[in-house]
Amino acid sequence: MQAMMSMPFLYRFRDALATLPSVLILAILIFAGIQKAVKIQPHIDDSLVQIALTEPEPPTPPAAAPAPPTPVAPQEAKPQAVAKPAPQPPPRPTPPQTVTATPLSNTPNPEVAAPAPPKAVAAPIAAPPAPPQETPPPAPAAKPSNASIEASYISKLRAHLNSIKRYPTGREASQQRPQGKVKVWFVLNRDGTLVEQGIDESSNSMLLDEAARKTINRATFTAFPESSWAGEATHRFSAELEFIPGAG
């Protein structure tokens, strides 16, 4: 009963069932083609390509056409004058010479001239000796200027005073221990004797000022150089003395 009921149903869809295998095969082919298309991978070339930018070469300038040679006018050859030889006179005939035989004898012939005595050879004249060359005298040494002489004398005076200065002694000096500079002045004769002296700038300490005066009185000064302070019988000098405790 069931077979009978199923037969009409299959019979009614027989055309669709007949095309079912073809549809399945077509679907399988389409699916396989899609899978194959999906599996296709693009081919990528990993090789590096280097692109270089080059400037176009400048066009070569056309070569300048050589200048045509300048035609040179042919120079006309000038005929050279040929010197003609001067006509020579014909040679004169030589007259015949007669040879006379002269007998030999021991008597000297007075006509034969005696040999001339030898000439005296003049002796060469000796050249006079050259005068000795005079050696120029040596140039005198440059004398120092008066300014340099005076500056040297003043520096020696100041060095002498600083070498003989003495720091003040006594109870007051040991208690106060003053320190400072004293600028003194003094006048000297040309022979170096002391005329007078005084203080230009005080150190604000009576002990140091008195020590500076004693230094001037104790000093021995030399005479002035001859070329220094010309026309001055005396000259005024100045010096600066620095007193430091414990320095002497």
Side-chain angles (χ1 to χ4, degrees):
M1 177 107 184
Q2 292 180 355
M4 291 178 65
M5 289 179 67
S6 61
M7 286 295 292
F9 178 79
L10 293 178
Y11 180 77
R12 282 184 297 176
F13 295 97
R14 63 181 182 277
D15 294 334
L17 294 175
T19 58
L20 183 61
S22 300
V23 172
L24 292 175
I25 294 173
L26 181 60
I28 292 171
L29 293 176
I30 292 172
F31 183 76
I34 292 173
Q35 292 293 328
K36 187 176 182 181
V38 171
K39 292 181 179 179
I40 293 175
Q41 297 179 357
H43 178 70
I44 299 174
D45 189 4
D46 295 332
S47 59
L48 299 177
V49 178
Q50 183 176 3
I51 299 174
L53 300 178
T54 58
E55 296 180 358
E57 297 182 357
T60 305
T70 304
V72 180
Q75 298 180 358
E76 297 181 359
K78 296 182 180 181
Q80 298 181 357
V82 180
K84 296 181 179 181
Q88 297 181 358
R92 297 180 181 180
T94 303
Q97 298 180 358
T98 57
V99 180
T100 305
T102 304
L104 297 175
S105 62
N106 295 330
T107 304
N109 190 359
E111 297 180 359
V112 178
K119 297 181 179 179
V121 179
I125 300 174
Q133 297 181 356
E134 297 181 359
T135 304
K143 296 182 179 180
S145 62
N146 293 344
S148 62
I149 294 175
E150 294 171 359
S152 176
Y153 181 79
I154 294 174
S155 64
K156 289 180 181 179
L157 288 182
R158 292 173 177 172
H160 174 63
L161 293 176
N162 279 282
S163 65
I164 64 173
K165 68 182 178 181
R166 297 290 181 269
Y167 189 80
T169 57
R171 181 178 179 182
E172 187 177 0
S174 60
Q175 290 178 353
Q176 296 181 4
R177 297 180 63 83
Q179 178 179 349
K181 296 179 181 180
V182 184
K183 188 175 182 180
V184 297
W185 62 268
F186 51 96
V187 179
L188 300 180
N189 287 321
R190 295 196 66 87
D191 59 356
T193 57
L194 180 64
V195 178
E196 56 180 337
Q197 53 104 353
I199 295 177
D200 272 341
E201 295 180 6
S202 174
S203 63
N204 299 324
S205 171
M206 296 181 59
L207 296 176
L208 298 183
D209 294 349
E210 186 63 24
R213 291 192 185 93
K214 290 181 181 179
T215 302
I216 300 298
N217 294 327
R218 191 185 312 118
T220 303
F221 304 102
T222 58
F224 295 176
E226 294 181 0
S227 58
S228 61
W229 298 289
E232 296 184 23
T234 60
H235 191 76
R236 187 177 187 273
F237 301 92
S238 63
E240 188 177 66
L241 304 177
E242 183 177 7
F243 295 92
I244 300 175

